Amino acid sequence: MPFDFRRFDIYRKVPKDLTQPTYTGAIISICCCLFILFLFLSELTGFITTEVVNELYVDDPDKDSGGKIDVSLNISLPNLHCELVGLDIQDEMGRHEVGHIDNSMKIPLNNGAGCRFEGQFSINKVPGNFHVSTHSATAQPQNPDMTHVIHKLSFGDTLQVQNVHGAFNALGGADRLTSNPLASHDYILKIVPTVYEDKSGKQWYSYQYTVANKEYVAYSHTGRIIPAIWFRYDLSPITVKYTERRQPLYRFITTICAIIGGTFTVAGILDSCIFTASEAWKKIQLGKMH
C-alpha cells in the first residue's frame, strides 16, 4: 500500500455540498472581517509610528564635552545702551570673566536707546552664574534700567523633534518690562542633562531646566548696589534619556495572527451557538404543530 502524505493534513476540507450557509452566518462573517480590518489598521499605525520612551539614570551623559556646556542667550534691554551692556561669567572652579565678548553680538534698539544681546558661550559643569550687567562698562551709569525680555536661554544641542515636550527654553518669552527699573533679577536654574537617541543610534546632548526667580533692590553700607540680571545655575545628577523605538516586525506579525485567529475563533463559536439555538427553536415549533 503506497504511503499517503495527505494523512498529515490537519486542515481537512469539508465538501461544499455538506455545508449550509445562513443569513446569521453571513452577518457575523461581514462583522468579523470589518473588525479584523479595524484592528489590523490600528496595529499597522502603531507599527509604522516611532515611539519615544524615556528613562532616568545617574551619570554624566556627555563625557566628551570636556566638562563644558554650551549656552545660547538672547535678551533685550530696551532702556539700556549697548555700550553699557556686558556679560559676566563666574563659577566655583575660579572662573571670573567680566565683559565676555566671544561669539556675541549687540543690536541697538529704539534708535540706540536700548540693546539686544545675543551670545553663545560655554560654562563649566559646576555651580556658578552668568549675568547681564554694566560691570564691564568704562563708566558706570547712575540709574541703569534693567527691565528686559528674554527671548531664549538654552543649554546644549537644540533638539528638532516634535514628540518631546520639555523645558529646554523655560525662560523663553519672560517679560520683565513692567518691573522696577532699578531692581536686580535673580533666576535660579536647576539644569537637568538630557539625551535624545534616534533609531539609528545617533545621540544629541541637551539640557532642560527649571527656574525660580526673584526681583529686588540691593543696598550695601555704601548705598544702592548696581542692578544686574543674574542666572545662577546648578546641575542635577539625574539624566533624562529619550530613545526612539519601533515595534519589531515579529511582534507585529504575532499580533496580526492573534487578531485574525482569535476573531475567527470567537466568531465561529458565536455563529455555532446561534445556529444551534435556531435549530432547537425550529424543533420546538415543529413539536407544537404536531
Side-chain angles (χ1 to χ4, degrees), residues 28-271:
I28 293 178
S29 298
I30 293 173
C31 293
C32 176
C33 291
L34 292 175
F35 185 66
I36 290 175
L37 179 62
F38 169 73
L39 293 180
F40 172 78
L41 293 177
S42 299
E43 286 297 322
L44 181 62
T45 302
F47 174 68
I48 64 179
T49 301
T50 300
E51 179 187 13
V52 177
V53 296
N54 62 77
E55 58 180 313
L56 304 176
Y57 60 92
V58 179
D59 195 10
D60 180 7
D62 191 9
K63 295 182 174 63
D64 298 328
S65 64
K68 301 286 186 179
I69 300 175
D70 293 329
V71 184
S72 178
L73 175 64
N74 189 330
I75 184 172
S76 291
L77 297 93
N79 301 309
L80 196 63
H81 294 279
C82 280
E83 59 267 20
L84 299 175
V85 176
L87 177 69
D88 310 328
I89 307 171
Q90 56 188 120
D91 60 36
E92 293 186 359
M93 291 184 67
R95 181 182 182 183
H96 191 180
E97 185 176 350
V98 178
H100 179 87
I101 58 174
D102 294 338
N103 298 319
S104 62
M105 179 173 54
K106 299 177 185 179
I107 304 171
L109 301 175
N110 303 332
N111 297 320
C115 186
R116 179 166 180 160
F117 179 87
E118 299 179 7
Q120 285 79 39
F121 54 96
S122 63
I123 57 176
N124 295 315
K125 292 182 178 180
V126 295
N129 74 79
F130 52 91
H131 51 276
V132 177
S133 68
T134 61
H135 298 162
S136 61
T138 54
Q140 292 297 317
Q142 290 296 321
N143 297 303
D145 187 336
M146 302 307 292
T147 55
H148 60 277
V149 176
I150 301 174
H151 307 288
K152 179 183 180 182
L153 176 60
S154 62
F155 301 86
D157 298 333
T158 300
L159 297 183
Q160 302 293 340
V161 291
Q162 301 296 327
N163 45 5
V164 173
H165 303 285
F168 297 98
N169 185 24
L171 277 174
D175 187 333
R176 300 294 183 267
L177 294 179
T178 59
S179 61
N180 185 345
L182 302 179
S184 290
H185 299 265
D186 258 16
Y187 296 99
I188 295 90
L189 314 177
K190 191 69 172 182
I191 302 176
V192 181
T194 303
V195 182
Y196 188 90
E197 182 177 323
D198 63 12
K199 296 188 295 294
S200 65
K202 184 178 180 180
Q203 293 184 337
W204 287 268
Y205 300 98
S206 187
Y207 296 84
Q208 303 181 65
Y209 62 92
T210 59
V211 58
N213 68 284
K214 63 179 179 178
E215 173 187 332
Y216 60 93
V217 178
Y219 292 90
S220 68
H221 64 279
T222 58
R224 181 170 51 83
I225 297 176
I226 297 175
I229 304 170
W230 297 82
F231 300 92
R232 308 181 192 273
Y233 61 87
D234 193 6
L235 274 80
S236 168
I238 303 296
T239 295
V240 180
K241 183 177 182 180
Y242 297 97
T243 307
E244 289 185 354
R245 291 180 183 173
R246 180 169 288 177
Q247 183 180 0
L249 179 60
Y250 73 88
R251 186 177 299 173
F252 172 71
I253 295 175
T254 302
T255 304
I256 295 302
C257 292
I259 289 173
I260 295 175
T263 304
F264 273 121
T265 299
V266 173
I269 294 173
L270 180 62
D271 178 63

Side-chain angles (χ1 to χ4, degrees), residues 275-286:
F275 180 77
T276 302
S278 176
E279 291 297 310
W281 177 254
K282 289 179 181 179
K283 290 181 180 179
I284 293 174
Q285 294 297 106
L286 289 175

